[in-house]
Amino acid sequence: MKIQPPFDFLLQQDCVSEITAPENTVICHSGDSCDNLIIIRTGSVRVSHIAPDGRSITLYHIGENESCVLTASCIINQASFPAIAETETAVTGYAIPAQKVQQWMQSEIQWQQYLFSLLSQRMASLIGLVNSLAFQQLDKRLASWLLQQSKLENTLTLKTTHQFIADELASSREVISRLLKELEHKQFITLSRGHIQIHNLTDLSNYTEK
């Protein structure tokens, strides 16, 4: 379900400013103060957490018309940011000062509805992440990720790296490389430098359900 921010309301506010950020830019580090809430107009941002052993896990992606619920939570609770936010593409959006985020939570119904809808959607995705981490084998999670990316990008040829997939699935590059080789051996995919060619979506989908 697409969530539509109250852009008409926001564009009438002098305190709201337009922002841009290039691709592959860290826009918020762990421990940073959350002075603004950003709503993405175009582009995407990856929010991740780094474990003590150095492994990274993707918590969620922020896309068009979305915002970061961790940032909103930090603003409301006056806490520092507990993750890392990095642009995946060039990004445009709107910055709302923390003071206004708090004020509008008390006074603007449309703003409340937007943030609560965003929170509800994000909680559902995080529960799905926890469920897959706890109950689904990594090879099945990898196959599911390939299917999701194929659907998202509308292609059977994925341009990605083993390290990126490892970060998405909270694993190591070595383990992901081994599992991809196993999927290639089963003739579900073909690997080449920087690309993964999926042969048959149905076969790969059936594999995730075994």
Side-chain angles (χ1 to χ4, degrees):
M1 180 184 68
K2 292 290 186 180
I3 299 175
Q4 184 64 34
F7 282 128
D8 289 343
F9 167 75
L10 293 175
L11 292 175
Q12 294 173 9
Q13 312 303 316
D14 293 336
C15 62
V16 175
S17 57
E18 295 187 24
I19 61 98
T20 62
E23 182 180 1
N24 298 325
T25 301
V26 175
I27 56 177
C28 201
H29 293 84
S30 180
D32 283 354
S33 174
C34 296
D35 299 322
N36 294 278
L37 180 67
I38 306 298
I39 295 180
I40 304 298
R41 191 59 169 164
T42 61
S44 64
V45 173
R46 173 178 177 256
V47 179
S48 61
H49 178 70
I50 306 297
D53 64 3
R55 287 188 301 166
S56 172
I57 180 171
T58 299
L59 300 177
Y60 52 83
H61 300 268
I62 309 171
E64 179 182 324
N65 295 340
E66 296 180 338
S67 187
C68 179
V69 293
L70 276 178
T71 302
S73 174
C74 290
I75 289 174
I76 293 170
N77 294 289
Q78 298 183 334
S80 58
F81 194 67
I84 296 174
E86 182 177 7
T87 61
E88 298 180 292
T89 66
V91 164
T92 65
Y94 301 103
I96 301 129
Q99 181 181 4
K100 289 298 181 181
V101 173
Q102 294 175 320
Q103 178 183 326
W104 293 342
M105 281 295 293
Q106 303 295 324
S107 62
E108 301 296 332
I109 296 296
Q110 56 187 325
W111 182 247
Q112 295 173 8
Q113 291 175 337
Y114 169 67
L115 285 187
F116 284 135
S117 296
L118 192 67
L119 177 61
S120 175
Q121 185 182 77
R122 193 63 70 203
M123 283 297 294
S125 68
L126 288 175
I127 289 172
L129 173 62
V130 171
N131 182 68
S132 66
L133 286 170
F135 303 114
Q136 193 176 25
Q137 294 177 329
L138 184 56
D139 60 338
K140 303 299 193 298
R141 289 173 52 213
L142 173 57
S144 295
W145 186 88
L146 294 172
L147 289 169
Q148 291 170 1
Q149 287 300 113
S150 177
K151 181 178 179 180
L152 181 66
E153 300 177 20
N154 193 31
T155 180
L156 293 177
T157 304
L158 303 179
K159 185 179 180 181
T160 187
T161 66
H162 295 191
Q163 184 60 60
F164 179 81
I165 300 174
D167 292 343
E168 289 285 289
L169 300 181
S171 184
S172 67
R173 182 185 58 79
E174 293 77 13
V175 171
I176 292 300
S177 295
R178 175 174 58 80
L179 292 177
L180 285 171
K181 281 291 186 182
E182 291 179 6
L183 292 179
E184 185 176 44
H185 181 71
K186 296 178 188 295
Q187 299 184 342
F188 294 149
I189 62 174
T190 295
L191 301 174
S192 59
R193 187 173 181 84
H195 294 84
I196 299 173
Q197 178 70 41
I198 299 174
H199 294 164
N200 189 296
L201 293 175
T202 301
D203 288 345
L204 196 59
S205 179
N206 290 338
Y207 177 74
T208 67
E209 298 171 1
K210 290 181 179 180

